[in-house]
Amino acid sequence: MITTTGLTKVYASRGREVSALDGVDLHVREGEVFGVIGQSGAGKSSLICCVNLLERPTSGTVTVAGQDLTALAGRGRRASRELREARSRIGMVFQHFNLLSSRTVKDNIELPLEILGVSGAERSRKALELLDLVGLADKAKAYPGQLSGGQKQRVGIARALAGDPKVLLSDEATSALDPETTRSILQLLRDLNRQLGLTVLLITHEMDVVKTICDSAALMKKGKIIESGTVSELLATPGSELAQELFPVGGEASGPESTVVDVTFHGESATQPVISQLSRTYNVDISILGAAMDTVGGKQIGRMRIELPGRYEENVVPVGFLREQGLQVEVVDSEAPAEQFALPAQSTAALVEGVAK
């Protein structure tokens, strides 16, 4: 639904150039919730503003719903009209709501339809329908100053949906809200994603947002996408920075004669007593150095850092046992060669059988 290719954005600031985006390739599938996460200055806001051409990219292409938006820029009145029409199918939700204080809630939602030339009766019908959808049917005549922060953001979401968009962009939509309100807004976005088939691209600096709502995610640093994929794929990728941020596990080896392993649990394995089975089966004392578990996409996912006594060579079979249970296993503290750390499943099975013999 959304593709950016080689996207760059350079700003002129005090006589010098500042690169906000540096060759960004992004792929967001239709109907998914995709989160872009990173610290301040990573380029997240520039990216989302380039997706609907609120900011024009310095180079690269932006394609939304099969239409190359960058090809519409700067080609006269017809291109400008086509770009406006394309933008009307992309909703945008802002961090600070951006509601007009002099207009009622209903009038704020009607504003984009008014700009598009929709009749008064149709605007009114659509606004009331959207207010009901976001749970504010009784606030039509209220003014923004009479609403809580969460209610204002619901109005902002309703306004973004006025043009029946295929894509909803969210620019730090929950960062100004308290935790409870944040959860309710995220649940609303997920419900809208499912009910309307919306593709949602959101940017955030909060890992909890990714864990709560996102199907896929990308990590940005210094204008580049460092890694991206589905959340489950990232959690199963050895060395994934995003996985470590989502499920941080601390702890270091107690000494050189030990092997430290990060184990990722997901699906059915998250509810199985795998570690205790390992301890009983191989009569090995296991130390748990750290653990983190949460629900992602309705499934239990977690990571655990454990310490096995002895060097890696002495723990080949226990490590193989963990992999045979369908777990992602990464040896993080051992003198074993790196190529031994990520054996494919078939190699693991052969290795366990061979060592056992």
Side-chain angles (χ1 to χ4, degrees):
M1 179 59 78
I2 302 172
T3 300
T4 71
T5 305
L7 202 64
T8 69
K9 178 62 180 178
V10 179
Y11 295 96
S13 176
R14 297 180 180 179
R16 64 189 183 94
E17 292 186 340
V18 178
S19 178
L21 299 176
D22 185 7
V24 172
D25 294 332
L26 182 71
H27 305 278
V28 181
R29 294 174 299 182
E30 182 177 1
E32 75 173 341
V33 179
F34 193 108
V36 178
I37 191 161
Q39 298 301 314
S40 296
K44 308 184 302 298
S45 291
S46 293
L47 173 60
I48 205 167
C49 286
C50 283
V51 167
N52 62 1
L53 263 65
L54 285 177
E55 291 282 355
R56 294 182 182 270
T58 303
S59 63
T61 61
V62 177
T63 303
V64 178
Q67 187 173 30
D68 183 356
L69 301 190
T70 42
L72 302 178
R75 291 194 325 190
R77 290 184 178 180
R78 179 178 178 182
S80 297
R81 184 175 66 254
E82 291 175 344
L83 182 56
R84 285 197 301 272
E85 291 174 355
R87 279 184 179 144
S88 71
R89 296 188 290 273
I90 303 173
M92 184 90 171
V93 184
F94 300 91
Q95 176 182 358
H96 297 296
F97 323 129
N98 292 0
L99 302 179
L100 298 179
S101 60
S102 60
R103 282 182 172 241
T104 65
V105 164
K106 179 171 172 287
D107 288 341
N108 265 281
I109 297 172
E110 288 187 29
L111 180 60
L113 297 174
E114 184 179 327
I115 294 171
L116 291 172
V118 177
S119 69
E122 177 61 18
R123 293 200 308 266
S124 178
R125 183 198 66 78
K126 186 68 174 180
L128 292 174
E129 177 185 294
L130 289 170
L131 278 171
D132 185 55
L133 185 64
V134 301
L136 293 178
D138 60 334
K139 299 294 184 181
K141 296 181 180 180
Y143 286 86
Q146 299 171 302
L147 304 180
S148 67
Q151 290 171 330
K152 289 177 184 177
Q153 194 56 284
R154 286 174 180 267
V155 176
I157 292 170
R159 181 183 58 189
L161 298 176
D164 295 321
K166 296 181 179 180
V167 171
L168 184 64
L169 307 180
S170 170
D171 186 2
E172 297 275 14
T174 60
S175 62
L177 305 175
D178 63 77
E180 184 177 350
T181 305
T182 291
R183 285 191 291 271
S184 71
I185 293 298
L186 292 178
Q187 186 59 55
L188 174 61
L189 290 175
R190 174 52 93 179
D191 290 343
L192 294 172
N193 159 256
R194 291 169 175 163
Q195 292 175 26
L196 306 179
L198 275 176
T199 301
V200 180
L201 174 62
L202 60 86
I203 67 170
T204 183
H205 63 272
E206 301 171 286
M207 286 294 170
D208 282 345
V209 172
V210 175
K211 286 194 286 188
T212 301
I213 192 176
C214 293
D215 303 304
S216 300
L219 175 64
M220 283 196 76
K221 288 186 177 181
K222 297 180 179 180
K224 296 177 179 287
I225 288 184
I226 304 302
E227 57 182 348
S228 65
T230 67
V231 173
S232 58
E233 287 171 352
L234 291 169
L235 289 172
T237 301
S240 166
E241 290 186 42
L242 194 50
Q244 293 172 12
E245 293 287 345
L246 284 170
F247 292 93
V249 288
E252 298 181 356
S254 58
E257 298 294 324
S258 64
T259 302
V260 175
V261 178
D262 278 353
V263 183
T264 301
F265 303 80
H266 50 83
E268 293 183 2
S269 65
T271 61
Q272 301 302 314
V274 178
I275 300 301
S276 59
Q277 289 175 4
L278 172 65
S279 180
R280 290 196 305 269
T281 302
Y282 295 99
N283 193 29
V284 59
D285 293 326
I286 300 171
S287 299
I288 297 176
L289 303 179
M293 181 169 284
D294 211 329
T295 301
V296 178
K299 297 181 180 179
Q300 286 278 1
I301 295 178
R303 296 176 74 232
M304 180 181 293
R305 178 164 290 183
I306 62 174
E307 182 182 33
L308 305 173
R311 295 181 179 275
Y312 177 79
E313 292 81 359
E314 303 168 47
N315 288 298
V316 170
V317 173
V319 170
F321 170 84
L322 291 173
R323 291 193 174 111
E324 287 299 306
Q325 308 311 304
L327 305 177
Q328 175 64 41
V329 180
E330 182 180 0
V331 181
V332 296
D333 191 0
S334 173
E335 295 180 2
E339 60 268 19
Q340 294 183 2
F341 293 175
L343 294 170
Q346 61 269 29
S347 299
T348 302
L351 181 61
V352 171
E353 182 180 358
V355 173
K357 290 180 179 178

